[in-house]
Amino acid sequence: MGNGFDYYLNHDGTNSHLRTDTGDLQIRATATDADILFFSDDGSGGDAEYLRIDGGATSIKVSKNMELA
C-alpha cells in the first residue's frame, strides 16, 4: 500500500503485521469524543481491554498491570 509501496499490512498465517518504512505511523479516531481501544487475550481464551485512549475524557486509561522498563 502507499504511493511507493512503503506501508505494509500483512498476515502470515500466524501473526499480523502493520509497518511503515517512511515517516510516522499515526492512528487516529477523529469522531467527536471517540476512543482508541487496545484489546488482547485475557489469559483464559477471551479478550479484555488493556488500554484506552479516551477522547471524551482526554485521558489514557490502563486497565491491566503495566510494566515500565
Side-chain angles (χ1 to χ4, degrees):
M1 291 184 195
N3 290 338
F5 299 102
D6 51 7
Y7 172 76
Y8 301 89
L9 175 61
N10 182 43
H11 180 72
D12 63 14
T14 303
N15 299 303
S16 296
H17 309 270
L18 178 65
R19 186 183 92 209
T20 182
D21 289 343
T22 57
D24 298 327
L25 177 61
Q26 299 181 13
I27 300 171
R28 297 179 185 215
T30 59
T32 301
D33 295 334
D35 299 343
I36 299 173
L37 296 84
F38 293 86
F39 287 80
S40 189
D41 181 70
D42 66 359
S44 62
D47 64 350
E49 181 180 320
Y50 280 71
L51 182 70
R52 175 185 299 246
I53 301 172
D54 191 320
T58 62
S59 64
I60 298 173
K61 298 177 182 175
V62 178
S63 302
K64 302 292 182 185
N65 294 334
M66 178 181 275
E67 295 182 26
L68 303 173

